[in-house]
Amino acid sequence: MTRKKALITGVTGQDGSYLAELLLAKGYEVHGIIRRASTFNTSRIDEVRKPVVNGNLKDPANQLFLHYGDLADASNLARLISRIEPEEVYNLAAQSHVRVSFDIPEYTTDITATGTVRLLEAIREVGIKPRFYQASSSEMYGLVQEVPQKETTPFYPRSPYGCAKVYSYWVTVNYRESYGMHASNGILFNHESPRRGETFVTRKITRAVAFIKAGLQDKLFLGNLDARRDWGYAKEYVEAMWLMLQQPEPDDYVVATNETHTIRECLEVAFGRVGLDWNKYVEIDPRYYRPAEVELLIGDYSKAKKKLGWEPKTKFKELIELMVDSDVKLLSDQLAGRINRQG
């Protein structure tokens, strides 16, 4: 039986690793694009890959292949697409940190916005017809014009990242309408997991909880504690991505939980998980404030539920506790390994 082939940009990220895992479980041959670096940056997908069994046999059920590439390099994208000929392309790569996008707006625009059109144009020029998924973001809503936000809510981005994602959203729609591409946008609200990057606020909190509980850290410095976000579980959100590309017609979907929680609530749950009072350890640092803040995001996922049959399962408290437990175990394992090496 011929395996269906998928290409993932951003495969080494949180979403990319979970999506690769999902597609492999469904029998896909998965190809991921990674940037060339002087250090290994594949930690999230090392467990997903598992290229050998019994020490020397390649697992035929685990077909994950990595290719060097970059959304800044259009010619290489075209060569990869021509060689792989994927049936599905998932564009998850971006400079995705909102606060950092204020510091490096030009780079954010080049990768997060122009990178999308480079990829779409590479697909068009090669002449194949894969189904295309674009990772859009709730940050496009920014200064929200409607509560909750849905697919028809006007965009009002409040960061270079949000602006770049708006461009990527509309250029995806444009290629769909101009060239008949099966191209869909997933407007994903905040989604977290133990694989979340350590500079993102939820993971920054859960990691600090582990270190503070172990006596290795005294304080956690944060910015705006009153910002409200719609937080879901990344492992569930990648299933919505896949479902979008299984539909007869392309479309755009909000993926969210329709619940909103503050950073303070996240602190209460995270520190409470290990029996600590967050007020004793958290301090405000103005450096973490954004020049333009997004105060409230909450998504209406009713269209995704009706058309895709998708809905979130993991609740906010369960998600944060899951992340705390993971970081506590991770730190414990690291400390145990360090002791063993020293012994």
Side-chain angles (χ1 to χ4, degrees):
M1 185 181 78
T2 303
R3 293 178 183 273
K4 187 181 286 188
K5 288 186 283 188
L7 175 64
I8 304 172
T9 71
V11 71
T12 58
Q14 169 188 251
D15 293 5
S17 66
Y18 279 123
L19 179 60
E21 201 168 48
L22 175 71
L23 296 178
L24 290 169
K26 292 182 179 296
Y28 279 66
E29 177 181 310
V30 180
H31 296 261
I33 296 178
I34 63 171
R35 287 178 296 171
R36 179 71 178 89
S38 58
T39 57
F40 292 112
N41 60 350
T42 59
S43 59
R44 291 188 184 93
I45 56 172
D46 286 342
E47 279 300 303
V48 177
R49 294 179 76 189
K50 294 180 180 175
V52 296
V53 292
N54 298 327
N56 56 9
L57 298 175
K58 188 166 184 177
D59 181 357
N62 198 342
Q63 300 287 297
L64 175 56
F65 305 93
L66 302 181
H67 309 267
Y68 287 123
D70 197 303
L71 288 185
D73 187 344
S75 61
N76 186 56
L77 290 174
R79 285 194 297 273
L80 285 173
I81 290 167
S82 178
R83 187 164 77 244
I84 297 166
E85 295 187 335
E87 283 93 349
E88 295 174 6
V89 175
Y90 296 85
N91 184 31
L92 310 185
Q95 190 301 101
S96 58
H97 198 288
V98 177
R99 179 61 189 84
V100 171
S101 76
F102 285 99
D103 299 324
I104 49 172
E106 184 178 347
Y107 175 78
T108 299
T109 302
D110 185 47
I111 299 303
T112 307
T114 311
T116 302
V117 79
R118 289 189 188 107
L119 185 56
L120 285 165
E121 191 65 4
I123 292 169
R124 189 181 71 84
E125 288 186 353
V126 169
I128 63 172
K129 296 288 185 180
R131 296 188 172 194
F132 180 83
Y133 171 84
Q134 170 59 29
S136 291
S137 168
S138 59
E139 288 288 333
M140 300 188 303
Y141 295 119
L143 187 62
V144 298
Q145 305 298 293
E146 181 180 27
V147 178
Q149 295 87 57
K150 51 183 181 286
E151 291 81 4
T152 55
T153 302
F155 300 137
Y156 197 135
R158 299 271 282 172
S159 66
Y161 170 77
C163 293
K165 282 294 188 180
V166 169
Y167 175 84
S168 288
Y169 173 93
W170 282 117
V171 81
T172 298
V173 172
N174 182 259
Y175 271 65
R176 178 169 75 210
E177 296 177 350
S178 299
Y179 304 115
M181 295 178 73
H182 192 296
S184 297
N185 282 289
I187 307 173
L188 271 59
F189 281 63
N190 290 64
H191 45 291
E192 318 298 319
S193 76
R195 298 181 190 174
R196 188 59 145 152
E198 295 172 358
T199 60
F200 291 86
V201 67
T202 49
R203 184 74 196 289
K204 184 177 179 180
I205 290 170
T206 61
R207 186 173 182 271
V209 166
F211 276 74
I212 290 170
K213 182 65 175 178
L216 300 176
Q217 184 173 329
D218 297 321
K219 295 290 183 180
L220 169 62
F221 295 93
L222 297 173
N224 181 12
L225 303 187
D226 297 315
R228 305 185 69 87
R229 294 291 185 269
D230 183 323
W231 276 303
Y233 187 18
K235 189 173 183 178
E236 296 170 0
Y237 280 36
V238 299
E239 183 180 0
M241 300 178 188
W242 176 77
L243 286 168
M244 289 178 209
L245 299 200
Q246 312 316 306
Q247 304 308 304
E249 299 296 330
D251 207 343
D252 309 313
Y253 299 88
V254 163
V255 180
T257 69
N258 201 30
E259 290 184 12
T260 186
H261 300 274
T262 64
I263 306 294
R264 291 179 191 275
E265 290 177 77
C266 183
L267 289 167
E268 289 170 3
V269 173
F271 278 86
R273 183 65 170 173
V274 296
L276 296 177
D277 178 0
W278 70 268
N279 291 283
K280 297 178 180 179
Y281 304 98
V282 176
E283 293 188 7
I284 302 301
D285 187 335
R287 291 179 300 172
Y288 293 114
Y289 283 107
R290 300 179 185 179
E293 184 58 81
V294 174
E295 298 293 348
L296 169 66
L297 291 174
I298 179 170
D300 178 356
Y301 66 89
S302 56
K303 179 178 176 180
K305 182 177 181 180
K306 180 180 179 181
K307 292 196 170 184
L308 305 178
W310 181 92
E311 59 183 326
K313 301 178 182 67
T314 304
K315 295 295 185 181
F316 171 75
K317 184 174 185 291
E318 181 185 354
L319 172 62
I320 300 303
E321 290 181 343
L322 180 155
M323 293 175 65
V324 169
D325 292 348
S326 174
D327 274 325
V328 168
K329 183 180 185 303
L330 178 63
L331 179 59
S332 176
D333 291 346
Q334 289 172 344
L335 293 175
R338 188 180 304 169
I339 291 171
N340 289 337
R341 286 193 299 271
Q342 290 173 348

